[in-house]
Amino acid sequence: MDEEKRALYDKYGKEGIEEGGGGGGSAEDDFAQMFGGGGRRGPRGPQKGEDIVHNIKVSLEDLYNGKTVRLAISREKPCADCDGKGGKPGAEKVCTDCNGRGVRVQLRQIGPGMVQQMQSTCPSCRGACKVIDEKDKCKTCKGKKVTKDRKELELHIEKGMKSGHKIKFSGEADEIPGTVPGDVVIVVQQKEHERFKRKGADLVESIELTLSEALCGFTKVVTHLDGRTLQIKVPPGEVTSHQAVKMIQNEGMPYHGSPFTKGRLFLVMNVKFPKKLPLNIVSALQSALPEPPK
């Protein structure tokens, strides 16, 4: 059937489809169907405005424990004095410079028989398609239809959120007349921590040991991100090598959405070797340690 309609269109044009295309939809529907269109379309609704994106710096403690933050943003809303019309009722007219298209088209010859078409935003209406005479403009918004507004948002930093996580407030962006307000998107960015490194749901911390502690055992206390203290103990006689790693289950970061499940805590032991030893200590070590191979 589609091939028959295409043949009618090629031979007789649009009228051929209207007269010989058979029952069913209109010629516009047949034409759109032949060339991949979607048939008749209803009126399009107002376009959605642009989103407002903000970055917020958050400490690792806040991502571990969770926190509620109040954030004030600046946005635009319809002017209350002119009800978002920009001036007196009926003052807005179709721009005569662009004939209400919002753009201006210019032709420029770039060679013999070659013309380049250039399109730019209309400078008179700035793409709005309509203009208001200066004398009729609203004194508050100066014809812009909007004024600045300060909006306070309550932001919930949930346990286990990662850097780059986006929190969306739907419809809280600029309220431009004739458009649907966009969203406010808050992007969480983790601050660098002075002690802990985060690897997904795991935490890594470096513990400095003296040579004596590495050889003779030690007891260390680690303060966690929620203020709790963890005791790390190595008994005498157990030697700790440089860059040795001790792992503690369920003491890492909470998983986002499952805060009672946590990752692992890795403790990396960094042994600080002395640059020089007194001779009496060298003699004592030689007598205490096994003889070196000859």
Side-chain angles (χ1 to χ4, degrees):
M1 190 64 179
D2 287 344
E3 293 180 1
E4 183 181 350
K5 290 178 181 178
R6 187 180 293 275
L8 284 170
Y9 179 80
D10 292 339
K11 191 170 184 179
Y12 300 108
K14 193 174 175 181
E15 291 79 7
I17 299 178
E18 292 174 347
E19 295 174 6
S26 66
E28 287 83 358
D29 293 335
D30 294 332
F31 182 82
Q33 193 175 29
M34 286 195 321
F35 293 99
R40 293 181 178 178
R41 296 181 180 179
R44 297 179 64 183
Q47 289 185 340
K48 184 180 177 181
E50 293 185 3
D51 294 340
I52 297 177
V53 180
H54 276 279
N55 296 325
I56 181 170
K57 295 278 189 180
V58 181
S59 68
L60 190 58
E61 283 85 355
D62 292 340
L63 293 172
Y64 184 89
N65 299 297
K67 187 177 181 180
T68 298
V69 181
R70 293 190 177 276
L71 182 68
I73 63 167
S74 178
R75 62 174 188 166
E76 294 181 335
K77 70 172 187 177
C79 175
D81 289 349
C82 64
D83 199 23
K85 293 182 173 59
K88 301 175 182 177
E92 197 173 45
K93 307 292 182 184
V94 175
C95 178
T96 55
D97 287 350
C98 65
N99 294 322
R101 293 195 299 261
V103 294
R104 298 177 74 177
V105 178
Q106 294 177 322
L107 299 177
R108 187 179 71 175
Q109 187 169 354
I110 57 175
M114 298 179 66
V115 177
Q116 182 184 34
Q117 179 176 295
M118 300 179 64
Q119 182 173 296
S120 60
T121 303
C122 175
S124 299
C125 66
R126 297 180 181 178
C129 305
K130 295 182 179 181
V131 293
I132 303 174
D133 289 338
E134 199 65 38
K135 59 183 177 59
D136 296 327
K137 286 183 180 180
C138 171
K139 302 297 187 244
T140 302
C141 66
K142 305 294 189 296
K144 295 179 180 178
K145 302 181 182 179
V146 292
T147 54
K148 288 293 183 182
D149 178 49
R150 185 178 174 85
K151 175 78 174 181
E152 189 174 85
L153 302 175
E154 192 172 82
L155 189 66
H156 297 286
I157 305 298
E158 298 175 357
K159 294 181 180 181
M161 279 185 175
K162 296 180 180 179
S163 190
H165 185 95
K166 295 179 180 180
I167 304 172
K168 184 171 73 172
F169 295 86
S170 300
E172 294 291 353
D174 295 332
E175 297 180 26
I176 307 297
T179 65
V180 176
D183 306 325
V184 173
V185 181
I186 309 298
V187 183
V188 175
Q189 292 185 340
Q190 178 192 312
K191 297 178 185 176
E192 186 174 350
H193 199 271
E194 60 180 3
R195 288 172 43 229
F196 291 101
K197 300 289 184 185
R198 183 179 183 180
K199 305 289 183 182
D202 296 332
L203 290 173
V204 181
E205 184 181 11
S206 295
I207 303 293
E208 289 199 351
L209 300 179
T210 64
L211 183 58
S212 174
E213 289 173 324
L215 296 175
C216 305
F218 63 90
T219 299
K220 292 283 187 183
V221 174
V222 176
T223 303
H224 214 314
L225 294 167
D226 57 358
R228 290 180 298 117
T229 55
L230 306 177
Q231 190 180 77
I232 314 300
K233 188 172 183 179
V234 173
E238 183 177 325
V239 177
T240 303
S241 60
H242 181 60
Q243 292 290 292
V245 178
K246 295 191 178 294
M247 185 264 290
I248 307 176
Q249 287 280 11
N250 206 39
E251 286 295 348
M253 290 294 295
Y255 283 92
H256 185 221
S258 182
F260 296 106
T261 306
K262 297 178 182 178
R264 301 163 295 180
L265 173 61
F266 292 92
L267 300 174
V268 182
M269 306 300 167
N270 290 325
V271 180
K272 295 184 68 176
F273 291 89
K275 294 181 179 180
K276 193 174 182 180
L277 291 174
L279 293 177
N280 61 332
I281 294 180
V282 173
S283 301
L285 286 173
Q286 286 177 336
S287 61
L289 296 174
E291 287 188 19
K294 296 181 181 178

